[in-house]
Amino acid sequence: MAPTDIREAILDILGDIAPDDNLDDLKDDVAFREQLELDSMDFLDIVMELRKRYRIQIPEEDYQQLASMQSTVNYLSPMMAGI
Amino acid sequence: MIAPAKNRTLPDHDRIVITGIGLASPNGNNLAEMRENLLNGRSGVSDYEIRYVGKTLAGICDFDERKYQPRKERRRGTRAGSVGIYCANEAVVDSGIDWKNFDRTRVGIYIGVTEHGNVETENEVYELKGFDYDTAYWSHHHNPRTVANNPAGEIALNMDITGPHYTIGAACAAGNAGLIQGSQMLRLDECDLAIAGGVSESIHTFGIFASFASQGALASNEDPTKASRPFDVNRNGIVVAEGGCLYVMERLSDARRRGAKILGELVGYHMNTDATDFVLPNAERQAQCMQRALDRAGLVAEQIDIVSTHATGTDSGDSQECAALRQVFGKSEKTFFNNTKSFIGHAMGAAGALELAGNLGAFTDGVCHATINVDDLDEACRLNGLVINQPRELRQVQYILNNSFGMLGINSAVIIERFSS
């Protein structure tokens, strides 16, 4: 998957997790939590959906890599390159 | 000389009244809709399909989940929670209370449930099969969705209520049990306003259908609207329904102070246990339950205008309840009997509360709605005052007794009096 496709995949997951939020103006370099109503259970949802949809296992110590869209795409790019 | 009801001798602080009702029923999303459909003989049962069981029948609700609940909250929660949130908000609106300024540390939530957690557990196991039963794919939402207090807790979160909240597990007597719990907590000063009643999400668990089918107690009929037929000789079981009904209950002193409209007063109740069988009812204990509710209210059987029966459409359940009714009301010429499950099916944890609500309109319109689908009355269910297929106009309805019984021999009866100041 190219970084743009990974971004779309993340947006798709966020759309399910935060259906009441508008994702059109999401800034990639700003933390999700500063832009969206997300709590720790929501971040676990992101981890779970990546696991279910793409069979990607993210260790707990790496959860902080999912802070913003930019950091998430950077972190996932090598893992999803072959998908 | 008939003794006056005991509630008249109590101070207003110890008298508990209903000041608001919110409901989601297969035949109505508020009390007026439900009442109109009951008086016009309109069933809320329809075709339904659920995994593994396939085509069956159910009482399905179509209330607007989004009316009071954001999509994200709904996604995180359960159907029972969603039913509860809708009903609780509707009840508070109906009560006319100044909710914005009400001290929510003094609001208690008491929700009757038949079961909770089956729906989410079944869904998770079903999903897990797609991942070769690797529990790494088991949802972190499973525990908060399946804890027994979930429906009550979701109401508290949605409405920012910080008083006590919990569910009362009482099989199919749960709706009445919720009401009884609410009244007791008000009398104990544990809260100033109780949101009480019952909810059910049971149509979303295949297990309840499959278990009733294995027991030979799941209704079937080519016409869904004819499937729920208590007291009819051709009844063949239960139609499972979802729904909810929650009441705003207050002490009479508080209700009077704020000039609330009062929909009825809870003047008597009783709960007891058969201790004889897991599923089969016990007429003697049911009769005792009703009699003790009458005793608590200081009433005699002849004073009850309407008995809202529990009958579910099973052979044994219906005939045993009728035997109990004959024992208590056999000499009463003014008591009439009806059955709301014949319209909506068996709403499990919500059943008692919903069926009572369906009858409360009789305080104002003076009509006892019917038991529908009785084409051929089972002689074992013959009662002098059984209102069959057409509603019956009564002169004035002063007292309603509402029966709700459940598995493991749990029995409940609640008596509501028409309120007059």
Side-chain angles (χ1 to χ4, degrees):
Chain A
M1 261 187 180
T4 51
D5 296 328
I6 296 173
R7 186 179 188 279
E8 283 303 310
I10 299 299
L11 277 177
D12 196 47
I13 290 171
L14 286 174
D16 288 343
I17 295 170
D20 304 306
D21 285 326
N22 181 4
L23 302 176
D24 293 344
D25 301 324
L26 193 73
K27 294 183 178 66
D28 286 14
D29 55 347
V30 178
F32 289 132
R33 275 191 177 180
E34 291 178 26
Q35 308 177 77
L36 305 171
E37 293 283 328
L38 297 182
D39 60 20
S40 59
M41 293 290 270
D42 295 318
F43 277 89
L44 288 173
D45 270 331
I46 297 174
V47 172
M48 180 61 81
E49 287 306 309
L50 287 167
R51 188 180 299 155
K52 283 184 171 177
R53 297 183 192 189
Y54 304 105
R55 307 287 170 136
I56 290 171
Q57 305 290 345
I58 301 174
E60 197 172 341
E61 57 268 27
D62 290 350
Y63 286 0
Q64 57 189 348
Q65 302 292 334
L66 308 180
S68 71
M69 180 63 85
Q70 188 65 61
S71 66
T72 304
V73 172
N74 289 345
Y75 173 72
L76 292 175
S77 287
M79 303 166 86
M80 297 179 76
I83 295 174
Chain B
M1 176 70 182
I2 291 172
K6 279 183 184 171
N7 59 311
R8 302 272 167 73
T9 65
L10 296 172
D12 284 1
H13 184 271
D14 288 332
R15 295 172 63 178
I16 308 302
V17 292
I18 294 167
T19 56
I21 299 175
L23 64 83
S25 171
N27 69 346
N29 295 321
N30 56 59
L31 190 55
E33 274 181 22
M34 184 186 185
R35 183 72 183 159
E36 188 194 346
N37 286 325
L38 291 174
L39 294 181
N40 288 293
R42 285 196 284 268
S43 165
V45 176
S46 53
D47 288 316
Y48 184 62
E49 191 164 352
I50 187 165
R51 76 165 69 102
Y52 305 141
V53 171
K55 287 184 166 46
T56 182
L57 308 166
I60 307 163
C61 294
D62 67 354
F63 68 95
D64 179 7
E65 285 187 326
R66 303 260 322 267
K67 187 170 180 182
Y68 302 105
Q69 192 178 28
R71 280 185 296 182
K72 181 177 175 178
E73 201 176 294
R74 173 64 191 94
R75 178 183 176 277
R76 186 172 281 194
T78 65
R79 177 68 169 172
S82 195
V83 169
I85 285 167
Y86 176 83
C87 294
N89 277 281
E90 289 277 298
V92 165
V93 170
D94 185 48
S95 76
I97 205 159
D98 180 9
W99 186 243
K100 194 176 170 193
N101 294 307
F102 199 85
D103 179 2
R104 296 184 208 184
T105 67
R106 296 289 297 161
V107 177
I109 306 170
Y110 310 102
I111 309 296
V113 290
T114 289
E115 48 80 30
H116 184 77
N118 287 318
V119 173
E120 301 302 330
T121 303
E122 286 179 7
N123 287 345
E124 282 300 317
V125 172
Y126 180 76
E127 286 274 313
L128 203 61
K129 186 183 177 190
F131 299 101
D132 201 23
Y133 298 105
D134 179 350
T135 56
Y137 293 89
W138 190 264
S139 173
H140 49 287
H141 293 298
H142 180 258
N143 289 347
R145 284 174 180 157
T146 60
V147 286
N149 63 315
N150 168 278
E154 285 201 37
I155 293 168
L157 279 164
N158 177 270
M159 300 179 75
D160 196 22
I161 293 168
T162 55
H165 85 265
Y166 49 89
T167 53
I168 298 103
C172 301
N176 271 357
L179 275 175
I180 293 167
Q181 183 75 16
S183 73
Q184 290 171 334
M185 291 300 106
L186 284 163
R187 284 207 177 99
L188 288 171
D189 267 332
E190 297 291 333
C191 60
D192 292 331
L193 183 147
I195 295 173
V199 299
S200 169
E201 62 177 13
S202 292
I203 68 164
H204 302 282
T205 156
F206 76 85
I208 200 161
F209 290 90
S211 183
F212 279 137
S214 297
Q215 193 190 330
L218 186 68
S220 61
N221 197 298
E222 283 185 8
D223 179 352
T225 67
K226 305 284 185 198
S228 188
R229 44 196 314 119
F231 311 132
D232 186 88
V233 76
N234 291 316
R235 65 189 182 276
N236 60 13
I238 292 167
V239 172
V240 183
E242 66 171 350
C245 181
L246 299 179
Y247 296 80
V248 166
M249 303 174 80
E250 298 174 75
R251 290 181 283 271
L252 178 57
S253 49
D254 292 336
R256 280 195 204 276
R257 194 175 303 121
R258 71 179 184 88
K261 74 173 188 303
I262 295 172
L263 304 169
E265 177 175 359
L266 194 158
V267 296
Y269 62 82
H270 191 69
M271 292 190 73
N272 71 354
T273 306
D274 297 342
T276 45
D277 194 86
F278 276 69
V279 293
L280 295 176
N282 179 320
E284 186 187 344
R285 292 288 166 229
Q286 291 179 352
Q288 183 184 63
C289 185
M290 287 183 265
Q291 187 57 54
R292 291 196 176 174
L294 289 167
D295 293 345
R296 182 187 289 270
L299 298 171
V300 294
E302 287 79 2
Q303 287 174 278
I304 301 294
D305 302 284
I306 297 173
V307 173
S308 167
T309 66
H310 171 77
T312 62
T314 63
D315 268 346
S316 166
D318 295 10
S319 56
Q320 289 295 301
E321 183 178 6
C322 288
L325 290 167
R326 278 191 288 272
Q327 200 174 319
V328 179
F329 294 96
K331 290 177 184 166
S332 173
E333 291 179 0
K334 67 160 287 195
T335 305
F336 294 89
F337 308 89
N338 69 9
N339 182 278
T340 305
K341 288 187 183 75
S342 60
F343 294 82
I344 63 173
H346 189 347
M348 303 287 144
L354 260 181
E355 292 160 15
L356 173 63
N359 274 289
L360 288 183
F363 286 148
T364 48
D365 58 33
V367 179
C368 178
H369 70 260
T371 301
I372 57 170
N373 296 328
V374 184
D375 296 331
D376 187 1
L377 179 66
D378 182 352
E379 284 305 315
C381 300
R382 186 172 289 282
L383 299 165
N384 283 338
L386 188 59
V387 181
I388 296 175
N389 296 333
Q390 293 295 325
R392 179 169 180 135
E393 289 198 21
L394 311 181
R395 227 181 297 172
Q396 182 177 299
V397 174
Q398 191 68 21
Y399 293 102
I400 296 168
L401 184 145
N402 188 55
N403 276 342
S404 246
F405 310 131
M407 287 188 177
L408 282 302
I410 185 167
N411 304 314
S412 71
V414 161
I415 301 172
I416 306 292
E417 181 180 1
R418 175 175 181 268
F419 187 81
S420 50
S421 53

